């Protein structure tokens, strides 16, 4: 008799472990632990062997004390890997000397303290966690951090070491039906009835990754992460009266983690105290959460959909730039904001001036250029080029193929443009449209 499947993530993890040829829970745990610890050791050596021109005995040499302490205090194995990698990347991109004292401390810690800590490390693959990940009968929403851990810590690190198994695994993925089918020892024991839209979302994801001809761990991990996100969303959408537990805390944590990843500065070196920085990050996170709440209630978007939206990502960066710009006389901040504007445009195809006054209750969609203007509540814009001194009052929807709003124009409330047209608005009263 076929079993009832509630969790496609459970199906995926179960099938993936079959492809890993790991027979028991202990085998999975051992592989997971050893791969993470091996990767941490590699990063330790990379930090210890940074180019000598980064070292300095000068008192001005930078010691990343807070980041280093965060790593040492962390109790979870995969989180240790994340913290240590972020520390390495941060040091490699640092534009100032690193303290020789820090390098010596890392070497000493790696040689002594780390060995004791590694022997007593906690991993999120205890019996309870393992059962939850493989549970196909009940779907449990996965946080972004757990999806990252499964994609990289379990699957990515394993297949990077077993590339013969990787090739067979990718061939298996190319048959999209396999994502909706549970097999145990080759025998089909359960099938999840999918829609064409759900099938196509996975097929597009697999087809995009199949363009890669050689194994690249970063690309593979990102691919697996996207697969799990899609499966997680499909499973969640099927649950009746589903309410995400602790949603506010979950989303806020993701937002805060995002800001901590994209903004860091050598503490005490840029003339701004830590409390000022924390306050700016906190205000930006609050604004972004309000924007998400608006999109959830008015556009029925999930947090995962917001995360994937280029416009929402650009808005998150804009909000941080907006608050940082209050310290515009600081050279570090000025350079950071300018580089972030360029990076956001290159990465997402969206430019938002840090001087723009934009409500949190907006939906900025793809392909927008927003200069120093004002956008009020409940506006939705897409394919728009908005010049300086423009005002969009409440409930303006600009969703045509192309909209240019020239300097000083004022768009009154409840104004809507949609469809395959090109529109130029000059001073709020002269319109040119091309079908």
């Amino acid at each position: 008799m076929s079993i009832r499947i509630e969790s496609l993530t459970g199906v995926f993890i179960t099938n993936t472990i079959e492809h890993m040829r790991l027979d028991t829970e202990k085998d999975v745990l051992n592989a997971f632990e050893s791969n993470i610890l091996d990767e941490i050791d590699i990063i330790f050596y990379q930090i210890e062997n940074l180019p000598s021109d980064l070292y300095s005995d000068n008192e001005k040499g930078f010691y990343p004390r807070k980041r280093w302490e965060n790593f040492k205090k962390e109790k979870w194995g995969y989180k240790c890997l994340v913290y240590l990698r972020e520390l390495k990347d941060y040091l490699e991109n640092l534009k100032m000397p690193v303290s020789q004292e820090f390098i010596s401390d890392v070497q000493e810690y790696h040689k002594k303290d780390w060995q004791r800590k590694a022997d007593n490390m906690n991993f999120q693959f205890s019996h309870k966690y393992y059962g939850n990940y493989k549970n196909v009968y009940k779907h449990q929403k996965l946080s972004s951090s757990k999806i990252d851990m499964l994609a990289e810590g379990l699957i990515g690190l394993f297949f990077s070491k077993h590339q013969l198994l990787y090739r067979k695994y990718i061939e298996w993925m190319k048959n999209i039906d396999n994502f909706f089918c549970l097999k145990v020892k080759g025998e089909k024991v359960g099938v999840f009835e999918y829609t064409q839209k759900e099938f196509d979302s996975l097929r597009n994801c697999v087809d995009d990754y199949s363009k890669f001809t050689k194994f690249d761990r970063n690309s593979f991990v990102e691919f697996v992460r996207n697969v799990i996100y899609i499966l997680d969303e499909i499973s969640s959408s099927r649950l009746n009266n589903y309410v995400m537990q602790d949603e506010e805390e979950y989303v806020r944590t993701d937002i805060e983690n995002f800001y901590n990843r994209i903004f860091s500065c050598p503490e005490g070196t840029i003339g701004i105290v830590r409390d000022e920085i924390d306050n700016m990050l906190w205000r930006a996170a609050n604004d972004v959460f309000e924007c998400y709440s608006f999109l959830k209630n008015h556009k029925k978007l999930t947090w995962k959909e917001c995360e994937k939206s280029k416009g929402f990502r650009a808005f998150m960066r804009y909000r941080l730039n907006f608050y940082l710009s209050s310290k515009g006389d600081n050279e570090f901040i000025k350079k950071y904001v300018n580089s972030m504007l360029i990076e956001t445009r290159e990465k997402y195809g969206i430019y938002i001036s840090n001087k723009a006054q934009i409500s949190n209750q907006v939906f900025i969609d793809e392909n927008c250029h927003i200069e120093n203007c004002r956008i009020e509540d409940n506006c939705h814009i897409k394919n728009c080029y908005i010049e300086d001194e423009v005002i969009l009052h409440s409930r303006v929807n600009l969703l045509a193929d192309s909209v240019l709003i020239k300097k000083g124009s004022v768009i009154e409330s409840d104004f809507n443009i949609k469809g395959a047209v090109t529109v130029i608005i000059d001073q709020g009263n002269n319109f040119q449209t091309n079908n």
Side-chain angles (χ1 to χ4, degrees):
M1 183 176 178
S2 179
I3 66 172
R4 177 181 174 85
I5 294 174
E6 292 280 349
S7 174
L8 289 178
T9 50
V11 171
F12 179 67
I13 296 301
T14 301
N15 286 334
T16 295
I17 289 172
E18 286 272 325
H19 279 272
M20 291 176 169
R21 299 182 183 176
L22 300 173
D23 296 326
T24 67
E25 178 182 325
K26 185 177 180 180
D27 292 336
V28 175
L29 180 59
N30 287 342
F32 178 72
E33 290 182 6
S34 63
N35 287 339
I36 287 178
L37 295 177
D38 287 349
E39 189 70 10
I40 288 174
D41 273 332
I42 290 171
I43 297 174
F44 262 123
Y45 288 121
Q46 290 173 333
I47 292 175
E48 293 165 10
N49 292 282
L50 286 169
S52 59
D53 60 349
L54 291 182
Y55 300 169
S56 173
D57 292 324
N58 191 299
E59 292 181 358
K60 295 183 179 178
F62 178 59
Y63 192 117
R65 201 168 302 278
K66 184 175 180 179
R67 291 171 180 269
W68 179 232
E69 289 300 320
N70 285 342
F71 164 75
K72 291 196 292 183
K73 288 187 292 187
E74 181 55 53
K75 67 177 183 178
W76 294 105
Y78 179 70
K79 287 287 288 184
C80 282
L81 171 58
V82 171
Y83 276 131
L84 195 63
R85 179 186 291 116
E86 288 177 350
L87 175 60
K88 175 189 72 79
D89 293 342
Y90 176 70
L91 292 173
E92 288 178 341
N93 292 301
L94 193 66
K95 303 302 181 184
M96 64 182 296
V98 177
S99 169
Q100 180 62 56
E101 177 190 359
F102 167 68
I103 299 299
S104 298
D105 286 351
V106 172
Q107 293 169 336
E108 183 72 12
Y109 183 86
H110 184 201
K111 184 178 180 181
K112 295 182 179 179
D113 299 85
W114 173 248
Q115 303 308 316
R116 292 193 293 270
K117 183 172 182 175
D119 290 338
N120 298 286
M121 186 75 68
N122 293 318
F123 291 90
Q124 290 178 301
F125 261 96
S126 64
H127 178 75
K128 178 182 177 181
Y129 280 109
Y130 182 76
N132 287 341
Y133 296 142
K134 289 188 64 181
N135 188 353
V136 303
Y137 303 100
K138 180 180 179 182
H139 176 65
Q140 300 192 19
K141 190 75 176 176
L142 295 176
S143 65
S144 293
S145 60
K146 284 186 179 178
I147 290 176
D148 288 344
M149 183 196 68
L150 292 169
E152 181 185 19
L154 176 65
I155 302 172
L157 293 179
F158 178 88
F159 282 108
S160 66
K161 291 184 176 180
H162 302 84
Q163 292 193 32
L164 287 178
L165 294 178
Y166 161 79
R167 295 188 185 95
K168 294 180 180 179
Y169 184 53
I170 294 303
E171 287 302 314
W172 172 81
M173 283 189 173
K174 289 180 180 178
N175 182 355
I176 307 303
D177 283 326
N178 287 331
F179 290 104
F180 301 97
C181 174
L182 179 64
K183 291 184 179 180
V184 177
K185 296 182 179 179
E187 182 180 350
K188 185 184 296 185
V189 297
V191 176
F192 185 98
E193 296 297 330
Y194 54 81
T195 67
Q196 188 62 45
K197 182 178 179 181
E198 292 165 345
F199 182 90
D200 289 344
S201 66
L202 282 161
R203 182 177 60 186
N204 293 337
C205 181
V206 173
D207 287 349
D208 285 344
Y209 180 74
S210 296
K211 297 172 184 177
F212 291 92
T213 57
K214 294 183 179 180
F215 178 83
D216 175 81
R217 193 170 77 190
N218 291 336
S219 300
F220 176 60
V221 168
E222 182 62 24
F223 164 60
V224 173
R225 183 184 290 116
N226 288 337
V227 166
I228 297 176
Y229 272 131
I230 293 170
L231 295 173
D232 194 50
E233 285 300 318
I234 293 173
S235 299
S236 296
S237 68
R238 296 297 185 90
L239 298 179
N240 294 325
N241 302 319
Y242 175 77
V243 178
M244 186 187 296
Q245 295 179 350
D246 300 323
E247 184 193 43
E248 180 172 341
E249 180 180 352
Y250 167 83
V251 172
R252 283 183 181 276
T253 299
D254 269 6
I255 295 169
E256 291 168 2
N257 288 341
F258 173 82
Y259 282 137
N260 287 327
R261 285 196 301 271
I262 68 169
F263 180 76
S264 59
C265 63
E267 190 169 342
T269 65
I270 66 170
I272 301 177
V273 298
R274 185 73 244 174
D275 284 348
E276 286 182 280
I277 295 172
D278 289 343
N279 182 56
M280 287 187 282
L281 294 176
W282 179 81
R283 293 173 70 186
N286 274 357
D287 287 352
V288 170
F289 185 81
E290 183 181 344
C291 182
Y292 160 66
S293 298
F294 167 77
L295 295 176
K296 175 187 173 185
N297 294 328
H298 289 77
K299 302 294 183 180
K300 309 304 178 185
L301 295 182
T302 65
W303 173 240
K304 294 296 186 301
E305 289 172 328
C306 287
E307 280 188 308
K308 293 176 183 177
S309 165
K310 294 179 180 179
F312 187 83
R313 283 288 189 179
F315 179 83
M316 292 179 78
R317 288 165 171 249
Y318 150 74
R319 265 295 175 237
L320 179 59
N321 288 344
F322 179 83
Y323 288 113
L324 290 176
S325 294
S326 66
K327 300 293 181 179
D329 55 342
N330 182 287
E331 279 303 311
F332 178 92
I333 295 294
K334 189 183 299 183
K335 289 179 180 178
Y336 176 85
V337 170
N338 288 337
S339 66
M340 184 63 69
L341 290 171
I342 295 170
E343 182 180 310
T344 302
R345 181 161 48 195
E346 292 176 347
K347 193 168 186 177
Y348 301 115
I350 294 172
Y351 170 86
I352 307 177
S353 168
N354 51 286
K355 296 180 181 179
Q357 303 286 323
I358 302 177
S359 165
N360 295 327
Q361 298 186 15
V362 297
F363 187 13
I364 297 174
D365 218 321
E366 294 185 344
N367 192 29
C368 289
H369 180 103
I370 303 170
E371 296 183 356
N372 183 9
C373 65
R374 189 171 92 225
I375 302 177
E376 297 181 352
D377 291 348
N378 208 356
C379 291
H380 185 175
I381 62 173
K382 183 178 182 180
N383 302 324
C384 288
Y385 194 108
I386 303 175
E387 296 184 349
D388 287 340
E389 300 173 20
V390 167
I391 298 175
L392 303 187
H393 287 297
S394 300
R395 300 179 303 280
V396 170
N397 294 292
L398 305 176
L399 305 174
D401 280 356
S402 178
V403 179
L404 168 61
I405 308 178
K406 293 197 171 183
K407 182 176 180 179
S409 297
V410 177
I411 310 299
E412 298 298 339
S413 299
D414 301 306
F415 182 82
N416 296 286
I417 298 177
K418 298 181 180 179
V421 294
T422 297
V423 178
I424 300 175
I425 302 174
D426 186 9
Q427 299 301 319
N429 47 42
N430 296 321
F431 293 77
Q432 299 176 36
T433 64
N434 295 311
N435 293 323

